[in-house]
Amino acid sequence: MEHTIDRQTNVDLDHVAYHGKDLGVTFKSELIRLRVWSPVAEQMTVKLYRTARARKFDRIELERAEKGTWMVELDRAQFEGQFYVFEAIVDGKRIESLDPYAKVVGVNGKRGCLLDPSSINPDHWVKERPLFHSSQEAVIYEAHVRDLTSHPDGGVMHRGKFLGMTEAGTKTKNGYPTALDYITALGVTHLQLMPFFDYGSVNESRESESNYNWGYDPVHYFAVEGSYASTADDPAARILELKAMVQALHDRGIRVIMDVVFNHTYDALTTPLGQFVPDYYYRLNEDGTLADGSECGNDTASERAMMRKLIVECVSYWAKEFMIDGFRFDLMGLHDVKTMNQVRKALDRIDPSILVTGEGWDLDTPLAVRKKANQHNAHKMPRIAQFNDAIRDGIRGDVFIEDLPGWISGNLDVTADVKRGIAGAVTSQSFADEPNQVVNYVECHDNLTLWDKLAAASPDDNETTRRRRHRLATTIVLLSQGIPFLHSGQEFFRTKDGDENSFKSGEVINRLDWTQAEQETPSVEYVKGLINLRKQYPLFRLENTEQIRKHLRFFDEEEGVIAYELHRHVEGYVERHLVYHNGLEVAVDVKLPAGKFEVHVEDHTVNLTAPRLVEDRHLTVAPLSTLVVTERRPDYSKYAVAGGAALAILGLWYVAKKRKNKQG
Ligand code: CA
């Protein structure tokens, strides 16, 4: 989008930044306060409507207040529940818009509603997070609200809605669990939902299969998207129903990560950020055009005081009001380091177990290199996890070169990238200082699904081989150090028929097909087993780099096999796991060291409850598969140390005695 500035811009207004906490609408016992920041407006009024569609309105003027804000207090008894929109004169032009802090909105976010979100709660609303200690315990599962429940064979009543994910006991015709029950059984700890703040690309007043979007086009950052509510007409419904969904997931022990897209907006001119303080919230190129590192038409300017404040206050609001348990920052590399650290700090004050992840790509936006919140600056952003594109592309092959194969398709040039990811990307050639700064993955909503990528990169495979490569990829991710991430349906070979950017391709191409999950039960069970293995043994999710250096060791097997050992002494036991990822299309013989090993993972099956014992030390790793063997035995080394010490003392005593005898 071309947008040339032909006048003085407003980018330098930080000196009138407002530091109060009451931007937007705040509720006092008898008053409703409205406050809007616009140092450049010449006039500000609010138009108040009795109903969502009323044409008649009352107009009330806002007064100039401190630091470039405009303020008015309304009688709560009279105006609560009414709809509103602001009207201002800016640069001599009359502008009508909501402010950037609108929390309760009507259809398509055209009007706000004077309701207090904290008073809109489902009957069952506990406001407690499921137990969770450190980020490496997370297994993230990414999905789109609508995709989860829109399939007609999923047995869900509220298809495509927040409420669909509150339904228990949903199943396919054959009784296979779907949606909430399915995800609960899978054992993932976090459900990451693609944008559900209010976005612009779906018409909320018209439902159809093709009226669909992923939602990476924010309009109202503080408001809930209306198309996921049972009705977009009632502004309270979307709030109530989102909370009901979060509660249903929390009741199952599943935490919720919100995908946030602060880096750009639906449109730089017509969304609230572009209205009352034109240009301020956006980065401009030297020629005055909008920066576009996002490739979505504009980049917001997180480094400016009021944009930074908005981001920090917004995530805090979602975390407190909706009990959101994590935030995934879309194109985080467009933001600045200081903002991301302030986000981390603000969330720590609410609950340090809230996750922060982001896409730390190196993007072309006018921001100093040292300030960009990307992989190069990971060391400046502790406890913020970044997506590891190196392991992704290493395992599956480059996402931008469709036919370039990855390690699972025989490309051994990228072996080092895969190994670095397995070690949590904390080696000197990787970006992270600690494993809690790394999200390992091989598939997400972007680009081809892994299944479709394999079709492009290894077109001559039969289906059996393709399934084997696919499961091998998922295994590597789930057994790597750091935070593992699965794209929904990855566990049952999700396909989008080769559509590499299905953001508006409609419901049919995007929805999760639960009948396919049912057909691929062995694969789903395998992934469940791997998640359980990871949960059962802390060695697969070590807490810091020091532990990874101490407990993880790669060893050589034949080329095309990645082998490593996880090893530790704990509570009187020695525990060790040997992991062999066989990327070859032939079986590989391996010889185990001396010890009593149990086979936990073998040829795409996991057995934790009754694993078979290894009879002799020779095992075969099936083609394109993973072998994990585990030994757990009492730790005699302590006794050895104690015994050694006792012998030494005895020896000294003997020597001393002899000397004494000599002297005597
Ligand atoms: Ca919307």
Side-chain angles (χ1 to χ4, degrees), residues 107-109 197-204 219 224-227 238:
V107 180
N108 290 321
F197 51 73
D198 177 53
Y199 59 82
S201 53
V202 164
N203 183 350
E204 297 176 4
V219 178
V224 183
E225 166 60 18
S227 62
R238 58 184 77 186

Side-chain angles (χ1 to χ4, degrees), residues 6 16 98 164 262 370 592:
D6 55 1
V16 278
L98 287 174
F262 292 111
R370 69 176 198 287
L592 303 185

Side-chain angles (χ1 to χ4, degrees), residues 123 209 272 360 376 428 563:
D123 292 340
E209 185 279 322
H376 303 298
S428 56

